[in-house]
Amino acid sequence: MSLELIKKYQAQFEEFVKIDDFTLEEVTRRVPAEKHFWVCRLIDAKIEKDKLYKLKASTKHTLQKKLMEESPVALNKQVMDDLDKTPSLENINQKIKEHEYLVEYLDRVVSLITFISQDIKNIIELKKLQEM
């Protein structure tokens, strides 16, 4: 799901950063709202990632408890560490990795929007020079 979300966000961000003479003023006015939008998406992704880490810990604890109760012999650390290879935990680990990519992507988008004002200023200066 996160990878599809990244693709959706890429298309959305690419649409925003298309700057030409006709859209320059509109883009300039939209920068604060766009930054707010992307910061909110970043926070949402971080919250979701934290939820996945908690789910992983809870699932792992449940599996460890179940194994210890059902096992006729004492289990060593290696067996407990191998729980990460169970399908349920592998699935959670994959989702966590995808959310880490999403957080990284959104963090970079926010950085780009933070500095887009300088890019817009440079475009305006270039236009002024061309008009001379």
Side-chain angles (χ1 to χ4, degrees):
M1 177 173 158
S2 295
L3 297 178
E4 293 95 24
L5 203 51
I6 290 173
K7 290 181 190 294
K8 176 186 169 194
Y9 287 164
Q10 282 174 334
Q12 196 170 348
F13 184 68
E14 285 172 8
E15 203 52 41
F16 168 68
V17 294
K18 286 183 182 174
I19 300 174
D20 57 29
D21 290 343
F22 302 110
T23 62
L24 183 62
E25 188 175 329
E26 177 192 346
V27 170
T28 305
R29 290 183 181 156
R30 284 185 27 215
V31 168
E34 284 290 324
K35 185 170 183 179
H36 176 75
F37 173 83
W38 292 107
V39 167
C40 288
R41 299 298 77 77
L42 176 60
I43 298 301
D44 290 344
K46 287 181 177 183
I47 290 169
E48 188 62 31
K49 185 179 81 167
D50 287 344
K51 286 180 184 178
L52 287 169
Y53 273 115
K54 288 176 184 173
L55 176 63
K56 177 184 174 180
S58 171
T59 303
K60 191 171 186 175
H61 177 73
T62 303
L63 287 172
Q64 286 174 338
K65 189 175 177 182
K66 183 178 176 185
L67 262 177
M68 285 193 267
E69 289 173 358
E70 294 177 357
S71 179
V73 295
L75 300 171
N76 62 15
K77 185 176 177 354
Q78 178 65 35
V79 171
M80 293 304 207
D81 290 342
D82 284 346
L83 285 176
D84 279 337
K85 296 176 183 166
T86 60
S88 58
L89 285 175
E90 279 185 343
N91 187 26
I92 294 170
N93 285 333
Q94 180 61 32
K95 287 180 182 178
I96 288 171
K97 191 164 197 71
E98 289 177 8
H99 267 78
E100 287 172 347
Y101 292 141
L102 178 60
V103 166
E104 182 180 343
Y105 175 74
L106 289 171
D107 197 35
R108 291 178 187 211
V109 166
V110 169
S111 294
L112 288 170
I113 290 176
T114 299
F115 296 108
I116 202 166
S117 298
Q118 185 63 39
D119 294 336
I120 291 171
K121 180 182 168 213
N122 291 341
I123 291 169
I124 292 170
E125 291 296 321
L126 183 63
K127 282 179 64 173
K128 285 180 184 177
L129 289 173
Q130 288 175 345
E131 291 173 0
M132 291 183 148

